[in-house]
Amino acid sequence: MLMVKLYSAQLTGLDATIITVEVDLSPGLHIFSIVGLADKEIQESRERIGAAIKNIGGRAPHKKPHRVIVNLAPADIKKEGPAFDLPIALGYLLASDQTKFNPEKKIFLGELGLDGSVKPVRGVLAAAIAAKNAGFATLYVPEGNGSEASLVSGIEIKETKNILELLDDLENKKTIAAYLAEKTEKAEKDNRSDFSLIKGQGHAKRALEITAAGGHNLLMQGPPGTGKTILARTLPSILPELAEEELIEVAKIYSAGGFLKNGEVNTERPFRSPHHTSSQVAIAGGGNPIRPGEITLAHRGVLFLDELPEFQSYVLNSLREPMEDRVITVSRAQGTVAFPAHVILVAAMNPCPCGHLNNPPHECVCTPGQITKYQRKISGPLLDRIDLFIDVPKVEIKKIDEETPDEADNTAVAEARKNVERARRIEKERFIGQKIFTNSEMGLREIKKHCPLTESVKALLLEAYEKHSMSPRSYYRTIKVARTIADLAESESIKENHMLEALQYRSRQEN
């Protein structure tokens, strides 16, 4: 009997830490103890490990009286989840001379079934990144986790179905082939949310084009049934595909949260639409253990908040800092985790509780006090962080009744997508070497460098600033929107017509 050392990984937030799994066997009264700040799930693994080893024909820890001590180091990091089942079981088999292999440069993750099968776990992508950075050569993962792990190059990924198959590979009896990601043709986007299906609403479509090109936040206001929701749902159809760096960021979030379906990584930009009854934890993140919320699940995609005033005010206000900083920090008793939250916020609301304010021939039945109370549910600081405000009026029935989609609409959506992609390429060249992807991410330094204004353009903006009592934040946000409009027009400088269009998207509440 001896002491052996293997390696695994612990997910903390969205990142993983390499964990050393030490297993020591010594004579004495039977005990199977796991130390190293292990939670209840890990303590319960003793029973799973014992049953799994017995059912594959091995000598389980309880078969022969001896002391089994498992140490998960470093001891100051809380260990959670079932991913340590596999390395602990392998460590016991190695320490009890039931197998012989070299565990160096190898890292193991997996939950054990009672029959010795290895089940998928969450956070494998983060573990793969940590393993590569730490210099490990091979990562063993459960079948179904190979797809996400294969996004990381420079480390060999091997999927395993059960302990016996894994032992055959470790003992060089039968090699498990390295996992190779299958290249599949990209599926067509869902036509039910295609930009070309929307009839009329040219002003709203233009605003969506600017939103997609610059990554700006958008608020749509209009009577019920005018198409605000479907407009928001069509936004992903004109957004560019995820870049490789963005894809890894998004996959890492969904892997850590356990949201990957069948272990497959989705290459489309996220679109999240939480219900207005969602709690602050559901939107911002939290829980025990701390998990990402909707704003993080929408990272590099769209967060759509329908019926905006119906959300609890404290829930909406929790989004103010992440809208500005592109990151949300969740603090709980067990620790603090910073989640990325770079989203395009798209919101929709009615103009009043009944929805028919300024909507002839329907008559608004709300009192002035009800209208004011309804609109004040959205705080000024939150509105100040929105870049574009548009009205979505009712469309004539003749336009709606036209055959859908027609050639003109298909041409329009293709043109919009082309314009967005061209503008994004311009932005990519502009911000090369910086961790900035879109105009909306610019800070004051970048605005001064990339958005110089001529005297006439600055005069227009200053006049609007004074007339409408704009805040400094909305002043600079208007400049960023104007920069995106100029990029869509392939103009190197921001011209008067670009600034005028940007100003027309400002909120009427600025007065």
Side-chain angles (χ1 to χ4, degrees), residues 12-14 80 122 256-257 259 279-297 318 328-340:
T12 304
L14 298 181
E80 301 170 325
R122 65 183 183 92
F259 297 109
S279 67
Q280 185 176 6
V281 170
I283 300 293
N288 186 15
I290 299 174
R291 299 285 181 90
E294 291 290 341
I295 191 170
T296 299
L297 295 174
S318 70
I328 186 163
T329 303
V330 181
S331 297
R332 296 292 183 269
Q334 64 267 35
T336 299
V337 178
F339 291 122

Side-chain angles (χ1 to χ4, degrees), residues 269-290:
R269 289 186 180 272
F271 181 91
R272 305 293 298 188
S273 180
H275 193 261
H276 61 258
T277 58
S278 299
S279 67
Q280 185 176 6
V281 170
I283 300 293
N288 186 15
I290 299 174

Side-chain angles (χ1 to χ4, degrees), residues 59-124:
R59 296 193 312 274
H62 64 275
K63 282 291 184 181
K64 186 177 180 182
H66 49 219
R67 294 171 55 85
V68 182
I69 306 296
V70 178
N71 180 41
L72 304 177
D76 61 339
I77 296 176
K78 186 176 181 180
K79 320 302 187 306
E80 301 170 325
F84 296 105
D85 288 8
L86 184 59
I88 293 173
L90 291 173
Y92 174 78
L93 292 172
L94 199 58
S96 59
D97 292 325
Q98 297 184 65
T99 183
K100 291 187 182 296
F101 64 87
N102 183 6
E104 289 302 312
K105 298 295 181 181
K106 299 178 179 70
I107 191 164
F108 304 92
L109 295 168
E111 175 186 347
L112 288 181
L114 300 184
D115 59 352
S117 60
V118 183
K119 301 178 181 181
V121 294
R122 65 183 183 92
V124 168

Side-chain angles (χ1 to χ4, degrees), residues 195-211 231 234 238 390 409 412-413 416 505:
F195 202 61
S196 63
L197 295 177
I198 301 173
K199 293 298 180 179
Q201 305 293 11
H203 180 62
K205 287 182 178 179
R206 171 62 174 172
L208 285 174
E209 188 177 308
I210 297 169
T211 295
L231 278 164
T234 61
I238 61 171
I390 60 169
D409 286 325
V413 68
Y505 293 117

Side-chain angles (χ1 to χ4, degrees), residues 210-223:
I210 297 169
T211 295
H216 302 290
N217 300 322
L218 170 69
L219 174 61
M220 297 179 285
Q221 180 174 290

